[in-house]
Amino acid sequence: MAIPAPHIHDILTAYLRRYPDERSLLQPLLDRLAAGYDVTSRTDFDGHVTTSGVVVNDGDEVLLIHHRASGRRIQPGGHCETPDLTLAAAVRREIAEETGVTALEPCCGGEPVHIDIHQIEARPDKGEPAHTHYDVRYLFRTRGTPKVTLQAEEASDAEWRGPSQLGDPVLRARVLAALGRPQEGRTPEDNPYGTLVVITNEPGQVLMHLRDEKDGIWAPGTWAPMGGGAQPQDTDPHATGTRELQEEVGLQDIELTPMFSVDSDGYPVHVLHGQWDGDPRTLVLNEGIDLAFITPEDFDRLPMNTSVKADTRRVLDLITPQPAPYGYGTLALIRNTVGHLLMHRRDKKPDTCWPDTWSPNGGKPEAHDAGPFGTIRRELREQTGLEVPLEHLLTHTAETSDHLTYIFRGQWDGNPDPLVPTEGTALAFVDPRDMRGLPMSPLARYATLSGLSFDLEDQARADGIRDLIAAGIIVHDGAVLFVRRSPDDYLGGTWEIPGGLREKGETILDCLTREVAEETGLATQSVDQYLGHFDYRNARGGISRQFVFTLTPTKAGPISLTEHDRHQWVRETHELPTTTTELRTFLATHRPRQ
């Protein structure tokens, strides 16, 4: 039994009321419906209907599968089948079959968010001529991040990615709009960033509002701190947070402290903290349907966006006093305008950890510190006399223990010469792009390079580039290691330096050492220089940026290839085998410094 033609006609008619400019594109399908054709039959090669679904989790990430037939990363979907009574039922079945995800809440009133028309190439092996697909696309929410069970014959892999990774630009724009996200192509004056304002009281509860349950509202029906996007009159994130607090709940004169920034799928969000010990019942809620102080222990039982929950917990972790033994330390990456970092040379005393080495300033907690944020402010003031705004970058966990190092970033363009360090023998600005021969502890080197990584990521984001690649030049006995891409891979047969795509939650530095280890079997002893970057067009037609570092492996072999079919050591650029123009040009102008 085919899906009834009146149902499909009603779906198309309602869709065209919302998007009348697409009538000419869909008219052939309407004509075939009126003529009595079964437009859901996959054997109708004059054009038939398919369905697909964009599934969004609580972190506003979309579920994409690696489709075997097309080789592309797409949303799940497929052909209508006999048991399907509606298009919505067909897409739910396809999503369940291909991914195992069944708990779906329809968005956009259950109506299609997009209808795409595309041509399918002929497949003589299956007796299928070239034909047209009318893909009716729906948007769903699923709570949490459900486990994915792949249909092996359809998909080779699946991943949750930001909605900017949706390949179709129209679908991408409509999904972003439905999620209450900034539109693509926005100008710097039009919502260039967002804010999240975490207000706590003395007991450590967080002031949150229950967001409206409406399409087009970001994270609808969830509890969240106040905040929102920048407006043209806002001078900076602090001004945005202050305005949002007043507009949403009427709070004024709250001292807000920047805590950290996050990249929400290419959209920067600045997280701020303030304290208020009043009664929420005295406030006037202008956005949302409820307002209350929420205890952190209740976060997991209430509906909350996963990224908001993580960001709020991160704020609490940074400001909450901890009992001894504290189990953490702090470091401050103080950079100047040109990107150099303020570092001190540690004392030569026998009881000094890593004596006579260079390190960012920082230290261990004391009993009165208000969490890691309080520790690093006190340490920086005591050691250098500086009081500069700081933001948390990342937290490093030691490999051999659970000891944490909270790494912060700030900016100062002064002259370190007049400063009188209370610890160490010298203060100076150091270029993190080249630390060859500079005595440093592994942790200090890691922290310094991580700060450089964040600077590089910030610049790429400002340039509109989201696919970031880290690659390493490994030199042994005067030659550079190259590996060859497998013949069936994109740019098959091309030689390149080891590297790969940065994964979610990774820094460029972490990506570099992971990719080199995975592709060559070589562990990294030290990352020595940052040489620069180049941009190139990737397999999806977008632009990737490749950052190139020199590194020293713990040993030069053996080489164990997992993604390439050959390797060789090359001494001179003119000896370089077949490679891309971008890499050849880069290597001709960016040679490792000796």
Side-chain angles (χ1 to χ4, degrees):
M1 177 180 178
I3 296 176
H7 167 73
I8 299 175
H9 182 273
D10 290 346
I11 292 291
L12 296 177
T13 301
Y15 179 81
L16 288 173
R17 280 198 293 267
R18 300 193 304 278
Y19 307 108
D21 292 345
E22 297 181 27
R23 175 169 290 278
S24 61
L25 299 174
L26 294 175
Q27 193 61 50
L29 180 60
L30 289 167
D31 293 342
R32 291 185 61 75
L33 267 175
Y37 289 97
D38 178 8
V39 297
T40 63
S41 172
R42 66 187 305 163
T43 60
D44 184 351
F45 296 117
D46 287 324
H48 56 260
V49 170
T50 61
T51 64
S52 64
V54 178
V55 179
V56 182
N57 66 11
D58 279 344
D60 278 359
E61 298 168 313
V62 301
L63 178 58
L64 300 178
I65 63 172
H66 291 249
H67 193 239
R68 290 189 184 276
S70 66
R72 295 185 298 126
R73 189 172 59 195
I74 60 176
Q75 68 275 7
H79 289 89
C80 301
E81 296 185 0
T82 302
D84 300 327
L85 299 180
T86 65
L87 292 178
V91 72
R92 284 176 175 272
R93 175 189 50 75
E94 283 289 334
I95 293 171
E97 289 177 354
E98 293 185 356
T99 69
V101 178
T102 58
L104 301 172
E105 301 173 7
C107 299
C108 304
E111 300 292 336
V113 68
H114 183 220
I115 299 178
D116 178 60
I117 306 168
H118 57 270
Q119 300 300 310
I120 303 298
E121 295 182 358
R123 299 187 65 179
D125 57 321
K126 291 192 173 184
E128 297 180 355
H131 57 281
T132 301
H133 276 181
Y134 294 88
D135 192 42
V136 182
R137 297 167 167 180
Y138 291 83
L139 178 62
F140 298 96
R141 270 204 178 273
T142 183
R143 296 304 173 184
T145 302
K147 179 182 178 182
V148 175
T149 304
L150 288 175
Q151 187 179 32
E153 59 268 27
E154 293 285 344
S156 60
D157 195 8
E159 55 189 325
W160 295 93
R161 299 293 298 269
S164 68
Q165 296 300 306
L166 288 165
D168 186 296
V170 177
L171 176 64
R172 183 167 61 241
R174 290 182 183 173
V175 168
L176 287 170
L179 298 178
R181 296 285 295 274
Q183 298 295 317
E184 287 193 305
R186 61 188 184 274
T187 65
E189 295 78 22
D190 181 20
N191 211 1
Y193 60 82
T195 58
L196 185 72
V197 185
V198 179
I199 301 296
T200 60
N201 59 12
E202 185 64 29
Q205 299 170 313
V206 181
L207 185 65
M208 295 190 182
H209 66 309
L210 181 59
R211 301 179 64 83
D212 293 306
E213 188 72 68
K214 297 177 182 178
D215 288 332
I217 296 291
W218 179 81
T222 64
W223 286 91
M226 273 54 71
Q231 293 186 2
Q233 69 269 25
D234 297 337
T235 56
D236 54 30
H238 185 276
T240 302
T242 300
R243 176 184 51 75
E244 288 287 341
L245 269 183
Q246 181 174 357
E247 291 178 355
E248 294 185 0
V249 296
L251 272 179
Q252 301 184 58
D253 301 322
I254 303 296
E255 183 179 350
L256 297 181
T257 301
M259 300 299 291
F260 53 85
S261 301
V262 293
D263 179 2
S264 179
D265 190 33
Y267 179 54
V269 176
H270 299 272
V271 182
L272 304 101
H273 170 254
Q275 185 159 343
W276 182 69
D277 287 291
D279 185 348
R281 292 173 296 183
T282 64
L283 301 177
V284 178
L285 181 62
N286 297 313
E287 293 186 19
I289 56 178
D290 200 1
L291 181 69
F293 271 114
I294 304 297
T295 301
E297 289 74 19
D298 290 334
F299 287 1
D300 290 334
R301 72 173 184 84
L302 295 175
M304 288 185 68
N305 177 278
T306 53
S307 60
V308 167
K309 185 189 303 185
D311 293 341
T312 305
R313 288 193 187 279
R314 183 176 170 187
V315 171
L316 296 176
D317 180 45
L318 291 170
I319 64 171
T320 303
Q322 300 183 19
Y326 307 103
Y328 74 84
T330 60
L331 288 173
L333 305 177
I334 307 301
R335 57 182 177 170
N336 59 17
T337 302
V338 297
H340 293 182
L341 295 179
L342 183 66
M343 305 181 78
H344 73 291
R345 187 146 196 168
R346 299 176 65 85
D347 292 312
K348 300 180 181 180
K349 302 173 184 177
D351 58 344
T352 299
C353 182
W354 293 96
D356 203 28
T357 61
W358 287 90
S359 172
N361 289 95
K364 299 177 181 179
E366 295 181 358
H368 61 276
D369 290 341
F373 227 104
T375 299
I376 191 58
R377 287 170 169 169
R378 176 185 52 75
E379 286 286 345
L380 188 62
R381 182 175 60 252
E382 291 176 354
Q383 293 179 12
T384 67
L386 293 177
E387 295 194 38
V388 298
L390 297 172
E391 290 192 356
H392 180 236
L393 275 188
L394 76 157
T395 303
H396 173 69
T397 304
E399 294 182 1
T400 57
S401 69
D402 293 331
H403 188 271
L404 304 177
T405 302
Y406 291 83
I407 302 172
F408 297 82
R409 176 169 65 177
Q411 184 158 335
W412 181 68
D413 284 294
N415 179 7
D417 292 341
L419 299 180
V420 180
T422 59
E423 293 184 18
T425 59
L427 276 171
F429 277 110
V430 173
D431 186 355
R433 293 166 293 187
D434 187 1
M435 297 185 296
R436 294 165 300 139
L438 195 67
M440 299 178 69
S441 72
L443 176 60
R445 186 177 294 272
Y446 174 84
T448 303
L449 288 169
S450 294
L452 173 61
S453 294
F454 275 88
D455 288 344
L456 298 176
E457 292 165 26
D458 288 345
Q459 184 59 58
R461 187 184 305 113
D463 294 340
I465 298 175
R466 296 170 182 163
D467 285 339
L468 307 183
I469 311 294
I473 292 181
I474 303 171
V475 181
H476 175 62
D477 194 24
V480 175
L481 177 64
F482 281 84
V483 290
R484 190 174 72 176
R485 299 178 72 93
S486 299
D488 57 349
D489 200 356
Y490 177 66
L491 297 177
T494 300
W495 290 83
E496 61 187 6
I497 53 179
L501 181 68
R502 183 193 62 164
E503 296 181 352
K504 181 181 177 181
E506 274 189 325
T507 66
I508 293 172
L509 175 63
D510 293 335
C511 173
L512 172 68
T513 54
R514 176 185 56 78
E515 284 287 344
V516 168
E518 290 178 355
E519 294 187 356
T520 68
L522 300 178
T524 299
Q525 176 177 303
S526 66
V527 177
D528 303 315
Q529 303 172 49
Y530 168 63
L531 294 185
H533 72 264
F534 60 91
D535 299 340
Y536 65 93
R537 191 163 297 279
N538 56 41
R540 297 184 300 279
I543 300 297
S544 293
R545 175 163 293 180
Q546 180 161 310
F547 302 96
V548 182
F549 298 80
T550 64
L551 56 84
T552 301
T554 54
K555 56 182 180 178
I559 306 299
S560 177
L561 300 178
T562 57
E563 300 180 18
H564 301 81
D565 63 353
R566 285 186 58 188
H567 79 276
Q568 66 171 300
W569 296 90
V570 177
R571 292 186 176 277
E572 299 292 341
T573 303
H574 68 267
E575 298 176 3
L576 195 63
T578 302
T579 189
T580 64
T581 301
E582 293 87 353
L583 178 58
R584 188 182 296 276
T585 301
F586 179 87
L587 293 176
T589 56
H590 296 78
R591 296 179 179 274
R593 295 180 288 275
Q594 301 299 320

